Amino acid sequence: MRNFLTAFRDVQRSSLAFVAALPLVFAIPLVAEFVQHVIEMQIGMYDGVEGAKAAENDPARMWFGFAKVAALNVVGYFVTRWLHSGGDRAFAVALPRKAVTLFGLVLALSLFLAWLSLFVWTDGYMAIGFFVFSLIFMPLVVRFVVAAPLGILVTPVESIKVMAGDAVFAIVFSIAVILPLMAIHYALGIGAIFIDGDGLKWALLIVDSFVTALLGIVMVAAQYAIATRPAPIEGAAAGTSAS
């Protein structure tokens, strides 16, 4: 339990430290979330319960949501390298060819899964099954995901072999670590639906943009903590720009 709580605390602290160290990178998901809120306001999503229901599956909202997922994933590249290097900003923003190439594979996989979730398996048993699959699959291949931005190839099969013994921890931790910010995120969104006045709605949505951006950083930091728990990821020298 102590290890769990220590890891939980370290993820939250390192996420805030990343925001302070690289605020321009943090701005990427922040702006993406804010733009989505602009679209949502335009289509009447925060005009009450009926407006929220009508706008829930609006194509513009869904596509901007997909763009937000892409932004969050891109930021994952820099967060992972920053964590791996112990906070070296030069290493974090370096773009060595091998790291970019491998990260491109991870990004393509993440966007494909996001596309399935947002546009294909959106309801019914397939949506539930896909959610359960992702909940189990992603923690098992997390070493593949985390190693890629470092320019290290850890195949999904290799990742599953290493992570199998930590699967329960990985699944529980990945959920627990995002719950506080996720609760705030949903509370702000619901508040914007019920509160009166555009000014107050925008105030909540601006705060939510910061919360959601931070949530994205926390998710990546949690992935790194999970991936390196059973064994370190070796092959790239921390603090150097491996090519």
Side-chain angles (χ1 to χ4, degrees), residues 65-156:
F66 183 76
K68 179 183 69 178
V69 172
L72 289 170
N73 275 277
V74 168
V75 169
Y77 174 92
F78 304 103
V79 178
T80 300
R81 291 178 64 86
W82 187 82
L83 291 169
H84 185 72
S85 64
D88 187 325
R89 285 187 289 181
F91 182 81
V93 300
L95 299 171
R97 182 169 56 187
K98 186 175 181 180
V100 172
T101 301
L102 290 174
F103 178 72
L105 296 176
V106 170
L107 180 61
L109 173 61
S110 297
L111 293 182
F112 175 66
L113 294 176
W115 177 75
L116 290 176
S117 176
L118 290 171
F119 301 107
V120 181
W121 295 323
T122 58
D123 53 32
Y125 291 114
M126 288 302 297
I128 296 172
F130 184 66
F131 172 77
V132 174
F133 165 77
S134 299
L135 189 66
I136 298 172
F137 176 71
M138 294 310 295
L140 289 175
V141 299
V142 69
R143 286 175 68 84
F144 162 67
V145 173
V146 167
L150 306 175
I152 305 168
L153 176 60
V154 176
T155 68

Side-chain angles (χ1 to χ4, degrees), residues 1-202:
M1 186 64 176
R2 172 174 289 184
N3 290 339
F4 189 97
L5 293 176
T6 299
F8 184 96
R9 184 185 64 243
D10 289 346
V11 164
Q12 306 297 338
R13 287 180 175 176
S14 62
S15 298
L16 291 173
F18 175 85
V19 172
L22 291 167
L24 292 180
V25 177
F26 174 69
I28 296 172
L30 192 158
V31 170
E33 177 70 9
F34 181 75
V35 171
Q36 186 180 16
H37 284 325
V38 171
I39 299 299
E40 290 169 342
M41 284 289 283
Q42 290 176 345
I43 62 178
M45 184 166 184
Y46 299 106
D47 293 342
V49 176
E50 294 302 320
K53 290 180 179 179
E56 184 177 6
N57 295 315
D58 183 274
R61 176 178 181 271
M62 300 302 289
W63 278 110
F64 272 95
F66 183 76
K68 179 183 69 178
V69 172
L72 289 170
N73 275 277
V74 168
V75 169
Y77 174 92
F78 304 103
V79 178
T80 300
R81 291 178 64 86
W82 187 82
L83 291 169
H84 185 72
S85 64
D88 187 325
R89 285 187 289 181
F91 182 81
V93 300
L95 299 171
R97 182 169 56 187
K98 186 175 181 180
V100 172
T101 301
L102 290 174
F103 178 72
L105 296 176
V106 170
L107 180 61
L109 173 61
S110 297
L111 293 182
F112 175 66
L113 294 176
W115 177 75
L116 290 176
S117 176
L118 290 171
F119 301 107
V120 181
W121 295 323
T122 58
D123 53 32
Y125 291 114
M126 288 302 297
I128 296 172
F130 184 66
F131 172 77
V132 174
F133 165 77
S134 299
L135 189 66
I136 298 172
F137 176 71
M138 294 310 295
L140 289 175
V141 299
V142 69
R143 286 175 68 84
F144 162 67
V145 173
V146 167
L150 306 175
I152 305 168
L153 176 60
V154 176
T155 68
V157 173
E158 291 171 339
S159 179
I160 291 171
K161 289 180 179 178
V162 175
M163 293 304 305
D166 280 60
V168 174
F169 173 89
I171 294 170
V172 173
F173 186 77
S174 62
I175 295 173
V177 78
I178 67 171
L179 279 179
L181 288 174
M182 188 66 74
I184 297 172
H185 167 61
Y186 279 110
L188 290 168
I190 294 171
I193 293 173
F194 288 98
I195 200 169
D196 293 327
D198 284 354
L200 291 175
K201 291 179 186 292
W202 276 118

